Amino acid sequence: MAASAEHVGPETEETDHPESVQIEDIETNNSPGTSEIESERLEQDEEEEEEPPGPKIRETPQDIQLEAIANTVALHPSRDILVCGDVDGDVYAFSYSCTEGENRELWSSGHHLKSCRQVRISADGLKLYSVSRDKAVHLLDVERGQLVTRIRGAHGAPINSLLLVDENILATGDDGGTLKVWDMRKGTAIMDMKNHEDYISDITVDQNKKMLLTASGDGTMGVFNLKRRRFELVSEYQSGDLTSVALMKRGKKVVCGSSEGTIYIFNWNGFGATSDRFALKAESVDCIAPITESIMCTASMDGYIRAINLLPNRVIGCIGQHVGEPVEEITKSWDSRFLVSCAHDQLIKFWDISGLPKLTVNEYRKRKKKHGRMKSLTKKAFGENDFFSGLVEETEKKEEEEQEEDEDSDSGSD
């Protein structure tokens, strides 16, 4: 900065004495070397005065590195905040942003004694519920992470799944197949039923908050009437564990993932037997996240996150992957812009799904005919150095030359 100060002095004198300016000009014209030096100094001064470049804006937030494997992740209903629970029993809250370097840990909680199995945030964004292998249900304040209510010994077996029905009612399922429904205003269970022979992996509820559906490791889907507080039925047995359950097609279809890599489809009010099934080339379908009424994302033991179209049943393509690591949970952000995943690599990853609702089955069927494998739907789906990402680009360049090819029949699958 001393050089800059010395340079400013003569300029001030030139302003006060015009004659010296004229002499300076003449000397400059007669001395080309001096002109070059002066220009370089001016350029240096301009560079010093320029503002530093702003922070980089990314298409998706940066990955969040955890200290342990996260079993579960939940997103705030109206803000860019996520909460995760890990195998050590700790719960963390993070704010996330597409501005590089602006992901922040907001708080952490170590109230659970054993692995935290699932976390869920209430619809108003104020309450956080968590369940654990320690058989306890915890209610925390989302803003500060402070423990508000604890139900010790809520189940006789480790709790595995959690669903928030409304602001006061929640449902929990344990490793022994017991389903409990809690009224948090009283802190007591209003339903306590054991109709499964193995763990309850997932729970969902219809839009009217009347029917609870459970997926179980015994290979069946359970149906429970919330209004009448009674058990209705279990479906026929499927091969393998049922690992997830979700509603699609405006509640007219129920889909269940399985440990065998098959998606089982039930008609609403036709819960006894499946109406259809869709086998993926995947090790399993461990979790399901509905994106639209017809498109859902699934995650698997093989680390891949697939986009699936329901009826006609198609694998649209690959959203992303945790390479070689089982994915524990996926969920979409409040604005449906990102899909968030957690896996055994101790990472929480973000995937851009904003364009997913615009994709059509017909487009996918043509591309499948050409290269016979999943299409990459995001820039991060295969690493920048991945061999297959180059094949995708080459294949797409040739599409115009191959449009005479017929579309596949509706029976195709991944």
Side-chain angles (χ1 to χ4, degrees), residues 56-70:
K56 182 180 177 181
I57 304 300
R58 302 164 52 95
E59 289 189 356
T60 60
Q62 289 178 283
D63 297 347
I64 296 175
Q65 178 71 58
L66 303 173
E67 296 180 0
I69 296 172

Side-chain angles (χ1 to χ4, degrees), residues 58-66 73-76 79-84 93-98 102-104 305 319-322 329-335 337-343 345 347-354 378-381:
R58 302 164 52 95
E59 289 189 356
T60 60
Q62 289 178 283
D63 297 347
I64 296 175
Q65 178 71 58
L66 303 173
V73 60
L75 273 68
H76 195 281
R79 297 167 60 189
D80 292 342
I81 293 175
L82 67 84
V83 177
C84 62
F94 294 90
S95 63
Y96 59 89
S97 172
C98 286
E102 288 199 1
N103 289 348
R104 295 282 186 272
I305 302 169
I319 295 295
Q321 70 287 314
H322 292 256
E329 191 161 23
I330 55 175
T331 185
K332 69 175 181 177
S333 62
W334 63 274
D335 54 4
R337 182 181 176 187
F338 304 120
L339 188 78
V340 181
S341 60
C342 62
D345 54 10
L347 291 174
I348 294 176
K349 292 190 173 187
F350 299 82
W351 313 96
D352 182 2
I353 58 168
S354 57
T378 66
K379 292 181 180 179
K380 294 167 59 180

